[in-house]
Amino acid sequence: MNDNRLESFVHQGIETLRKDDPQLYGLLDREHERQTTVLTMVAASSVVDPSVLICESMTPMNVTAEGYPQARFHAGCVVIDEIEQLAIDRAKAAFGAQYANVQAHSATTANQIVMCSMMKAGDTLLGMELSSGGHLTHGSKASVSGQYFNAIGYGLHPSGSIDYEQVQRLAHEHKPKLLICGTTSYPRVIDFKRFREIADEVGAYVLADITHISGLVVAGEHPSPINHAHFTTTCTHKQIYGPRAGLIMMGKDFDRPAPDGKMTLAEKLQKAVFPFFQGAPHLHTIAAMARALGMVARPEFKKLAKRIVDDGRALAQCFLERGYRVITGGTDNHLVVIDVLQKGLTGIIAERALEDCHIVVNKNRIPGDQKSPTITSGIRIGTNSLARREMGPGEMATCADLVHRVLAAIKAIDESHYKLDETVRNAVRADVKKLCSRFPIPCYPV
Ligand SMILES: *Cc1c(COP(=O)(O)O)cnc(C)c1O
């Protein structure tokens, strides 16, 4: 191994970009600076280690490698095969899975691949409604999942917890082929065992999309669906702190016969990723995934996962103490969903005003929301990035105060317009800057 070869390669790349394309270099530099100086509390965000980022810029990108390790349609894949196998082995080890496919380009694609391998157009699926926190790919009419399949949706109790009785009732009524669980904004523990029991009653397969909680699952901070669900999907860019890509895994059911009886579920899935759905895999991304999956399997990540959850609890408590209605009264994971309508605001106004003050959160619908998805009555906050910056429960009071100072100062004009006092804005911006410099993103020079 030549110790300096890769380093000088990377250095040369960045030098060339800086000299030859200052416009693009400038934009990338500005984005880097924004991320380091802004308080990102977006639940779907994370902070990726530079060693993961650098894998994405490596030469496996130059290789076309349709197929799988030891079974490629192209030559020149000797090393590539080892990289992909490493990612597969690390995924299986991290999640305790029997089967892992690391080629899906995103979690959206991962879900579509599972759906299209287990169902034909027009078949019925049962997933959580978008308005209750289900993902677009769980049967929304705005996505392929809701247009090509007969999608039935379940929802939440008014309290905000999953209505398992409704799931069971709808499953018996509609006999879905696929039952989908996993959400984008559910702050409580998901009972994967219950979903499997319901699916078994009606002969459905279970797809658990754990995109939002996959890091907690690896670290044992949330029960694992791997052996309850037939298929588990996740992206690797939210809680795995890795590249933008998807992962599909299977547990104890991997070698059960698929519906047509000719293949096992794992064999069927393998063919569904390639050639049915995708072409050549992104090997540079798979290298980054291998790196990220290696990191989440370490003891340090267990500490981070614990901090994510502790921060979530503390943050929810801080908002309750400041008089906000927190959906479900708290959280078991990194997600804190807050009703802002009750404060005379909408989600979009809160989101915009906070961004104006250098705090980034997302507008989000809340149970029973009467506002449209582009307006909403709530905001969704997450602790992935805060915990990664090593902010602990003690700093959550500071974060909640910053958010509260902005929300309390907003004068809503209508559903999407507002006025914000200049002095509040400048004061919050200054305090955000101070907080971010006290808790820099580890290994991210400003
Ligand atoms: C973010 C998210 C996805 C989509 O992930 P992409 O990789 O961006 O396509 C899928 N499912 C859930 C539950 C998500 O939160």
Side-chain angles (χ1 to χ4, degrees):
M1 187 163 59
N2 179 334
D3 274 352
N4 294 326
R5 188 164 44 204
L6 275 187
E7 269 187 53
S8 52
F9 178 74
V10 170
H11 191 72
Q12 188 195 329
I14 201 90
E15 272 300 297
T16 306
L17 185 67
R18 189 167 63 83
K19 291 194 187 123
D20 198 53
D21 196 342
Q23 186 183 12
L24 180 57
Y25 184 92
L27 288 172
L28 292 169
D29 188 49
R30 259 174 63 203
E31 175 56 15
H32 183 76
E33 134 107 18
R34 186 193 70 80
Q35 290 188 19
T36 50
T37 54
V38 153
L39 189 60
T40 299
M41 299 170 79
V42 174
S45 74
S46 69
V47 182
V48 175
D49 193 83
S51 65
V52 175
L53 293 176
I54 219 72
C55 293
E56 280 264 33
S57 63
M58 289 288 160
T59 46
M61 191 189 279
N62 297 336
V63 182
T64 298
E66 281 176 338
Y68 291 100
Q70 316 303 331
R72 302 285 185 193
F73 288 83
H74 300 92
C77 297
V78 184
V79 184
I80 294 303
D81 277 5
E82 286 189 47
I83 293 174
E84 182 167 345
Q85 193 57 51
L86 185 65
I88 292 168
D89 293 344
R90 287 183 177 177
K92 284 162 71 175
F95 286 91
Q98 303 291 324
Y99 168 89
N101 191 304
V102 296
Q103 294 194 359
H105 298 332
S106 70
T108 293
T109 311
N111 287 343
Q112 287 164 353
I113 289 167
V114 172
M115 282 174 206
C116 293
S117 64
M118 289 298 118
M119 293 188 290
K120 296 241 173 325
D123 281 352
T124 299
L125 68 83
L126 177 58
M128 184 182 264
E129 290 161 350
L130 189 67
S131 59
S132 299
H135 189 256
L136 279 165
T137 53
H138 299 182
S140 161
K141 277 274 174 276
S143 115
V144 162
S145 64
Q147 289 193 16
Y148 284 34
F149 303 108
N150 173 37
I152 310 294
Y154 60 86
L156 303 167
H157 284 296
S159 67
S161 58
I162 293 173
D163 189 345
Y164 292 97
E165 286 78 27
Q166 187 197 21
V167 176
Q168 189 175 34
R169 190 158 27 81
L170 291 172
H172 281 267
E173 196 178 318
H174 297 279
K175 304 277 186 298
K177 288 244 169 82
L178 193 67
L179 175 56
I180 307 175
C181 55
T183 99
T184 62
S185 58
Y186 192 62
R188 295 302 182 176
V189 171
I190 299 172
D191 190 346
F192 295 118
K193 185 161 169 282
R194 184 87 190 266
F195 274 105
R196 176 60 184 263
E197 284 162 5
I198 295 170
D200 282 346
E201 288 167 18
V202 299
Y205 290 99
V206 176
L207 163 59
D209 172 1
I210 57 167
T211 285
H212 255 286
I213 52 169
S214 47
L216 302 184
V217 166
V218 168
E221 291 288 331
H222 188 291
S224 172
I226 292 285
N227 287 315
H228 295 304
H230 299 83
F231 307 96
T232 298
T233 56
T234 179
C235 77
T236 53
H237 50 268
K238 289 178 189 168
Q239 256 190 350
I240 302 298
Y241 295 78
R244 305 201 76 87
L247 192 52
I248 308 172
M249 292 169 292
M250 303 176 71
K252 65 175 171 46
D253 292 305
F254 80 106
D255 57 356
R256 266 184 48 169
D260 57 18
K262 291 194 211 96
M263 288 181 256
T264 64
L265 286 176
E267 285 163 351
K268 177 106 181 153
L269 201 275
Q270 187 90 337
K271 287 198 161 54
V273 178
F274 173 84
F276 186 60
F277 225 88
Q278 291 192 162
H282 298 176
L283 265 314
H284 53 301
T285 304
I286 291 172
M289 199 190 276
R291 170 68 182 150
L293 287 165
M295 289 171 82
V296 295
R298 291 180 180 168
E300 300 92 284
F301 186 75
K302 274 205 190 318
K303 268 189 235 156
L304 175 56
K306 173 113 186 6
R307 198 185 308 135
I308 289 171
V309 174
D310 289 345
D311 282 356
R313 286 217 178 90
L315 194 61
Q317 190 56 37
C318 290
F319 279 106
L320 287 169
E321 283 162 11
R322 283 156 187 77
Y324 290 85
R325 185 168 84 91
V326 174
I327 305 307
T328 76
T331 184
D332 298 324
N333 52 39
H334 63 302
L335 289 159
V336 181
V337 183
I338 298 164
D339 178 352
V340 294
L341 190 69
Q342 177 229 27
K343 298 280 181 192
L345 305 172
T346 60
I348 186 66
I349 286 182
E351 179 187 291
R352 285 185 181 153
L354 285 165
E355 182 162 16
D356 204 11
C357 298
H358 296 175
I359 300 168
V360 194
V361 307
N362 291 129
K363 63 182 180 307
N364 207 88
R365 298 184 95 187
I366 56 176
D369 208 322
Q370 301 296 312
K371 303 279 184 209
S372 75
T374 54
I375 302 291
T376 80
S377 304
I379 54 172
R380 182 189 69 168
I381 299 182
T383 54
N384 293 344
S385 298
L386 303 179
R388 184 69 177 85
R389 291 181 105 137
E390 292 177 17
M391 292 188 201
E395 281 73 44
M396 294 306 108
T398 314
C399 292
D401 272 331
L402 287 167
V403 171
H404 176 56
R405 276 162 63 193
V406 179
L407 297 188
I410 298 173
K411 302 261 182 296
I413 296 168
D414 57 28
E415 279 196 338
S416 53
H417 296 87
Y418 65 94
K419 273 209 184 102
L420 186 67
D421 187 70
E422 191 84 358
T423 47
V424 173
R425 192 184 70 176
N426 292 338
V428 172
R429 278 188 181 183
D431 287 347
V432 164
K433 196 170 172 196
K434 249 185 260 163
L435 183 66
C436 289
S437 60
R438 264 179 63 219
F439 292 91
I441 299 177
C443 0
Y444 272 44
V446 186

